[in-house]
RNA sequence: GUCCCCGUCGUCCAGCGGUUAGGACACCGCCCUUUCACGGCGGUAACACGGGUUCGAAUCCCGUCGGGGACGCCA
């Protein structure tokens, strides 16, 4: 693969979107970018891609910073630390994108498109029904100047689309896979600027990568099929291309792209559940190859236990991780192996350090202080504290059917309702009032009494019919762990139901 | 459906034309042990299939099949 050195220093970036909890995939790609830059004495940039106002979550950006720092990754430039190529938040760069869209409009590589979202949706539906590839039909590619002026005078909203050539193809080099070619009739006229004036990923990404002097785009494999659009954009601006490295996608056990339905994907979850960042990083470094296994001689000379080949620090990854070793099959994110690794790290700690870890996370003063008031009014001896709060400190809480099933409900409707509760909590802000209101609204719409509603959730969360106040407990236990517990409950019941059949 | 990517034990990796196909997790057994875990020892288990190329193919080529991704005014 390419080993040529460029005159310019290596600059890479990760570009997460603040749309929810920081994702384990962001940490994975972040680690890879970090390693690549560090190994080459380059810079690692963090850019926040917050151009989708409909999915924007205000607390998310800070969580991304915190989670990446927790994992042990640091960046040289970013919204929080600044840098010479800022701003590093795309919502603060809209003027830049607007100027660049004008360039494309002027040189004829982009055009205005006046269809509404509804019209396009209708078109897509018809195409899918007709089993043809859903693609923009190019209706407004050749509007006359008069028509465009007329539409604009009417105040009709418009998007700006990339004018993909009708003939020919685009070939680009993927550093891991070699040349990849896309025929232009398989490349859609991508929207570059939405009617709200915000750019789409494709435009913002290319413009920013160029302006921020990014030399290597290291991102997930899911971007391969939009890379020709990006290449066309670089060409339209007359810019030179960065190198593209598409990393294999993390997978669920069934090989589909990793998703929160089938795996805990929130880094917050791992932090709050007591995973060590070193173990997480080590595990991510294991996925996709990259780290050479020790040779037989090394095992002998360094007296390595064979399993030590799987255990390595960030420093060792910086030293040894080799991008040309990466294997292209999407690795399954295997929680079982992560847990084993985490256990290895935990056991290696000195007793003092282990205790410190415990006190910093699962038995932190803050956590205990939040829990204490929930039991004080109902406690008789301090010794009962554990009895009343065990579920806060346990990982495996699975209620028996006799506990969770309401008297007047069937098993099926109960499981269905629990799934609704999960969806509701997932969408809810994590405070007493929001959760209470969301849960009650759900109960009303499905005609579940408050009692049935809350008792079911209580059973899932605590494994018991008695507990400290439910919603207060939820708040303290945290969103990430609550959702995980509910998903595990649902998963366990699904398995149980299948076995009964 | 169309395009693109991928294909070694259940899972994660080794293997780069000649290996009894190796290691780790998981699983099973034995040892250690008052229990459980840790630790130690051992075991089950894979080159998707079919054609080439070659003296020789897990390794190179082609096809088939299988898996995945993309096809949004999401990223």
């Amino acid at each position: 693969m390419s080993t040529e050195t460029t005159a310019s220093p290596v600059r890479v970036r990760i570009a997460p979107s603040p749309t929810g909890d920081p994702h384990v995939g962001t940490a994975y790609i972040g680690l890879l970018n970090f390693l690549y830059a560090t190994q080459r004495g380059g810079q690692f940039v963090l850019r926040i891609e917050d151009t989708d106002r409909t999915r924007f979550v205000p607390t998310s950006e800070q969580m991304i910073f915190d989670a990446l720092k927790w994992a042990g990754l640091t960046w040289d430039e970013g919204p929080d630390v600044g840098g010479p190529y800022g701003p590093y938040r795309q919502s603060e760069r809209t003027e830049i994108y607007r100027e660049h869209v004008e360039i494309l409009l002027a040189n004829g590589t982009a055009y205005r498109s006046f269809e509404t979202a509804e019209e396009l949706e209708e078109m897509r539906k018809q195409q899918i029904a007709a089993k043809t590839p859903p693609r923009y039909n190019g209706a407004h590619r050749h509007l006359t100047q008069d028509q465009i002026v007329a539409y604009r005078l009417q105040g009709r909203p418009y998007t700006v689309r990339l004018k993909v050539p009708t003939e020919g193809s685009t070939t680009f080099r993927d550093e891991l896979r070699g040349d990849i070619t896309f025929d232009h009739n398989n490349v859609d006229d991508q929207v570059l600027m939405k009617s709200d004036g915000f750019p789409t990923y494709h435009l913002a990404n290319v413009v920013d990568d160029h302006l921020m002097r990014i030399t290597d785009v290291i991102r997930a494999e899911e971007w391969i099929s939009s890379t020709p659009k990006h290449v066309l954009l670089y060409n339209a601006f007359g810019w030179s291309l960065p190198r593209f490295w598409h990393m294999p996608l993390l997978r669920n056990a069934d090989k589909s792209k990793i998703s929160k339905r089938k795996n805990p994907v929130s880094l917050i979850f791992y932090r709050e559940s007591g995973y060590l960042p070193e173990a997480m990083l080590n595990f991510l470094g294991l996925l996709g190859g990259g780290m050479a296994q020790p040779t037989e001689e090394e095992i002998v000379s360094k007296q390595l236990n064979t399993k030590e080949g799987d255990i390595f620090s960030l420093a060792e990854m910086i030293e040894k991780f080799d991008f040309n070793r990466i294997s292209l099959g999407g690795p399954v994110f295997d929680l079982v192996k992560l847990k084993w690794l985490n256990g290895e790290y935990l056991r290696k700690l000195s007793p003092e350090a282990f205790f410190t870890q415990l006190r910093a996370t699962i038995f932190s003063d803050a956590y205990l202080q939040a829990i204490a008031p929930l039991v004080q009014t109902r406690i008789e001896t301090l010794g009962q504290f554990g009895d009343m709060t065990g579920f806060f400190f346990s990982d495996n809480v699975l209620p028996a059917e006799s506990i969770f099933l309401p008297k007047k409900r069937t098993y099926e409707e109960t499981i269905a309702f629990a799934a609704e509760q999960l969806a509701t909590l997932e969408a809810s802000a994590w405070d007493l009032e929001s959760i209470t209101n969301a849960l009650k609204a759900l109960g009303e719409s499905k005609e579940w009494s408050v009692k049935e509603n809350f008792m079911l959730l209580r059973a899932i969360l605590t494994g018991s019919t008695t507990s400290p106040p439910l919603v207060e407990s939820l708040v303290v236990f945290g969103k990430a762990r609550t959702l995980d517990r509910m998903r595990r409950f649902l998963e366990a019941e699904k398995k149980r139901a299948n076995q009964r059949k």
Side-chain angles (χ1 to χ4, degrees), chain A residues 100-121:
Chain A
H100 282 84
V101 162
E102 288 308 320
I103 295 173
L104 299 181
L105 249 14
N107 73 15
T109 52
Y111 61 94
R112 292 186 180 83
S113 165
F114 293 86
E115 290 91 349
T116 64
E118 292 72 31
E119 286 166 353
L120 293 170
E121 185 52 35

Side-chain angles (χ1 to χ4, degrees), chain A residues 204-452:
Chain A
N205 194 265
V206 166
V207 169
D208 287 349
D209 282 349
H210 177 258
L211 261 24
M212 295 182 182
R213 306 276 190 273
I214 299 301
T215 56
D216 295 81
V217 172
I218 305 171
R219 69 214 323 182
E221 193 179 11
E222 55 189 332
W223 294 107
I224 288 178
S225 46
S226 36
T227 304
K229 296 170 184 172
H230 304 163
V231 171
L232 255 11
L233 272 173
Y234 279 99
N235 293 157
F237 285 117
W239 296 338
S240 60
L241 256 31
R243 281 179 291 261
F244 292 105
W245 305 74
H246 290 98
M247 297 297 151
L249 224 35
L250 263 23
R251 313 289 184 97
N252 298 312
D254 64 5
K255 302 273 187 184
S256 57
K257 170 166 119 176
I258 194 167
S259 64
K260 64 183 174 192
R261 276 202 57 87
K262 297 173 182 176
N263 255 308
V265 293
S266 165
L267 291 171
I268 309 288
F269 166 80
Y270 291 98
R271 176 160 50 85
E272 293 185 346
S273 301
Y275 287 80
L276 261 24
E278 296 82 2
M280 175 59 85
L281 234 38
N282 187 158
F283 177 65
L284 293 175
L286 226 33
L287 299 181
M291 283 297 279
Q293 287 198 181
T295 60
E296 302 235 357
E297 297 90 81
E298 277 177 317
I299 292 174
V300 175
S301 68
K302 295 183 186 171
Q303 295 191 311
L304 290 179
N305 186 314
T306 47
K307 75 184 177 190
E308 302 289 337
D310 276 355
I311 301 177
F312 41 75
S313 64
L314 219 209
E316 287 173 282
M317 284 191 257
I318 292 170
E319 190 190 331
K320 290 187 191 151
F321 193 96
D322 180 357
F323 280 76
N324 294 312
R325 290 186 65 92
I326 287 176
S327 51
L328 267 9
V332 170
F333 191 89
D334 182 7
L335 219 44
V336 176
K337 183 141 187 181
L338 207 208
K339 273 191 196 155
W340 164 77
L341 246 184
N342 201 57
E344 287 288 322
Y345 276 84
L346 249 16
R347 286 188 293 270
K348 247 188 279 184
L349 258 25
S350 69
E352 295 74 26
F354 178 70
F355 179 71
T356 303
Q357 280 296 336
L358 231 31
R359 291 286 285 138
T361 56
I362 223 76
F363 284 113
S364 70
D365 281 350
Y367 195 45
L368 259 17
Q369 252 158 25
I371 293 170
L374 302 183
V375 299
Q376 192 179 358
T377 55
R378 57 208 93 209
I379 206 163
E380 291 169 316
T381 71
L382 296 174
Q384 292 167 343
F385 183 79
D387 300 320
M388 295 177 155
T389 60
F391 67 93
F392 278 112
F393 307 98
S394 304
D395 237 11
N396 269 321
V397 172
L398 283 177
E401 190 172 314
S402 59
I403 302 285
F404 73 77
L405 191 64
K407 301 275 175 292
K408 296 176 185 165
R409 301 288 177 176
T410 66
Y411 175 81
E412 284 70 23
E413 65 182 324
T414 301
I415 296 303
F417 189 76
E420 297 276 0
Q421 287 179 323
L422 169 59
T424 300
L425 290 177
E426 205 175 325
S428 173
W430 214 248
D431 59 79
L432 206 60
E433 204 187 334
S434 306
I435 295 174
T436 306
N437 292 342
L439 244 23
K440 284 188 172 163
L442 170 70
E444 273 164 37
S445 78
K446 300 284 171 185
E447 297 190 339
W448 271 59
S449 71
V450 174
K451 183 179 175 181
E452 289 174 317

